[in-house]
Amino acid sequence: SLSQAIGLWGVRGLRIEAAKRTVEARRLFHEQDTALALARMKQRYYRILLLRENAATLGAIVSTFEDMERKTAERLKAGDVAEAEVMRLASERKKYAWALAGVRAEAEREQQHLAQALGLQDDSVDPTGSFAYRPVRIDTMRLQQEGLAQRPDLRARAELVRAREAAVSLASRQGLPDLEIEAGYKRTAAGLDGYVAGLSVSLPIFDRNQASRAASRAELHAERYRSELLKKSVRSEIAVIADKIRYLMGRIEEMTAEGERLREISHISRLSYEEGEAGIMDLLDSARSEGEFMIARSGVVYEYYAALFDLEAATGDRPAQGAEE
């Protein structure tokens, strides 16, 4: 005789659905990993711009000291200053020149690391662009809503929940017996030979596959918990980054105003020194203060952009989608 099971419960379709959603979840997790890697590369890119900005600041300080050293040497010939002042200026110039060389070398190393991360030749990567501060207005609630809606790892968790739901349905339906159609030719000792056909089901009819059903339900509850936990983590992460960005914006604005004041003081000190109305210590102090302050401000600007790139990864999109320039 022959028999053929008839799948009445959609088991095959549920198995396919669970597998497809699991594959899609893996793809979305990979997409989130890619977004994080992209944020790190953008931060490295802007670090190169930071180092070049610092190199420009140090280069301007070195040029200032070279100019003042030349003019002081002329005043030395006229007997207006002591030789120690020329030596002091030369010493300060060399110190900043060494710092400049170090910053340029670090920028080259960062450029090499970026090229390696991109799989390119070292000399094929030459970051360009403005390091100027561009403020944004952050809407934390909107960013949180967008992050919950479009962040890839959250979408992956949702796919896994649906896959576990399909697995629960699959386990339940696998507990139902399949209907089998049987047909054949039967011979008996009494000579009552003939064709036979019928339907059959396996026993027991109820309470089958209980262990698998319980395990699938437990996995579904665990996946829902992980999904909710990630949602809370994303909300918190976005709020923390948004607060950091607002704090850095405030610092940059304060430092910009202070930088203008220090630039004016440095200019006045230089003119006063050239006219013999200020000493060399006043000149050195003003030059150091201005240079070190501008480097510190550039560092805060870099932190600001690094936080914006972290926000991109946290929301699954560019901050401009939840912020206005």
Side-chain angles (χ1 to χ4, degrees):
S1 64
L2 300 174
S3 65
Q4 174 65 49
I6 302 176
L8 300 176
W9 317 119
V11 170
R12 182 172 180 272
L14 288 170
R15 187 177 289 114
I16 292 173
E17 180 185 356
K20 285 183 176 180
R21 292 194 180 281
T22 300
V23 170
E24 176 64 9
R26 291 174 181 172
R27 186 192 68 79
L28 289 169
F29 279 128
H30 177 70
E31 185 178 324
Q32 180 65 19
D33 291 340
T34 302
L36 292 172
L38 182 60
R40 299 292 87 79
M41 282 193 286
K42 287 181 178 180
Q43 289 170 347
R44 175 156 277 168
Y45 184 98
Y46 265 71
R47 176 161 176 75
I48 296 171
L49 295 181
L50 165 67
L51 292 169
R52 290 182 176 181
E53 186 80 6
N54 289 345
T57 300
L58 291 170
I61 294 174
V62 170
S63 296
T64 297
F65 278 117
E66 286 176 343
D67 183 49
M68 295 308 301
E69 187 179 351
R70 177 180 55 79
K71 291 180 179 179
T72 303
E74 293 175 357
R75 292 175 61 189
L76 175 63
K77 293 178 181 178
D80 294 337
V81 298
E83 185 177 0
E85 292 193 11
V86 178
M87 297 173 64
R88 185 67 181 273
L89 284 169
S91 176
E92 288 293 320
R93 173 182 56 78
K94 289 178 182 179
K95 183 179 72 175
Y96 283 103
W98 291 333
L100 174 60
V103 169
R104 285 174 174 170
E106 186 177 357
E108 290 179 3
R109 288 194 298 270
E110 287 291 333
Q111 187 170 329
Q112 291 171 355
H113 292 322
L114 179 60
Q116 291 171 3
L118 295 172
L120 302 173
Q121 297 293 328
D122 293 351
D123 57 357
S124 64
V125 176
D126 185 19
T128 58
S130 173
F131 192 71
Y133 165 62
R134 294 184 295 275
V136 296
R137 189 163 61 247
I138 299 294
D139 184 340
T140 302
M141 184 174 294
R142 182 180 173 187
L143 287 166
Q144 288 174 326
Q145 291 171 349
E146 291 180 351
L148 293 175
Q150 61 197 17
R151 184 160 150 160
D153 54 348
L154 276 174
R155 289 155 55 203
R157 284 294 170 197
E159 288 293 331
L160 287 177
V161 168
R162 296 187 188 100
R164 297 294 180 264
E165 289 172 345
V168 169
S169 297
L170 175 62
S172 296
R173 296 187 188 187
Q174 283 176 329
L176 299 175
D178 288 330
L179 181 67
E180 291 189 0
I181 298 177
E182 295 184 353
Y185 185 81
K186 186 175 183 181
R187 290 182 178 181
T188 65
L192 300 176
D193 300 343
Y195 293 96
V196 294
L199 301 175
S200 66
V201 293
S202 56
L203 297 176
I205 295 177
F206 303 105
D207 297 327
R208 295 161 55 101
N209 205 33
Q210 293 185 60
S212 179
R213 288 155 58 187
S216 61
R217 285 194 296 268
E219 290 175 1
L220 173 59
H221 292 321
E223 196 57 59
R224 284 174 174 168
Y225 174 78
R226 285 190 287 266
S227 179
E228 290 302 317
L229 190 64
L230 182 57
K231 287 179 183 178
K232 292 179 181 178
S233 176
V234 168
R235 290 192 191 96
S236 176
E237 181 183 3
I238 291 174
V240 168
I241 296 174
D243 287 344
K244 180 179 180 180
I245 290 172
R246 280 190 285 266
Y247 166 73
L248 292 171
M249 289 169 61
R251 280 196 63 191
I252 292 170
E253 291 169 2
E254 292 175 358
M255 295 180 80
T256 299
E258 180 65 14
E260 292 296 328
R261 189 181 72 85
L262 289 175
R263 189 176 291 109
E264 181 65 19
I265 292 174
S266 181
H267 178 68
I268 293 172
S269 296
R270 180 175 176 178
L271 292 177
S272 298
Y273 178 77
E274 290 177 357
E275 295 172 1
E277 298 178 359
I280 190 171
M281 293 304 299
D282 294 327
L283 174 66
L284 295 178
D285 287 343
S286 63
R288 284 197 209 98
S289 297
E290 180 190 3
E292 291 172 1
F293 186 85
M294 295 309 296
I295 288 174
R297 180 187 178 277
S298 295
V300 177
V301 172
Y302 169 75
E303 288 184 48
Y304 166 73
Y305 280 114
L308 284 180
F309 298 141
D310 285 335
L311 188 59
E312 285 185 17
T315 59
D317 202 353
R318 294 182 59 82
Q321 297 297 320
E324 298 179 7
E325 294 191 4

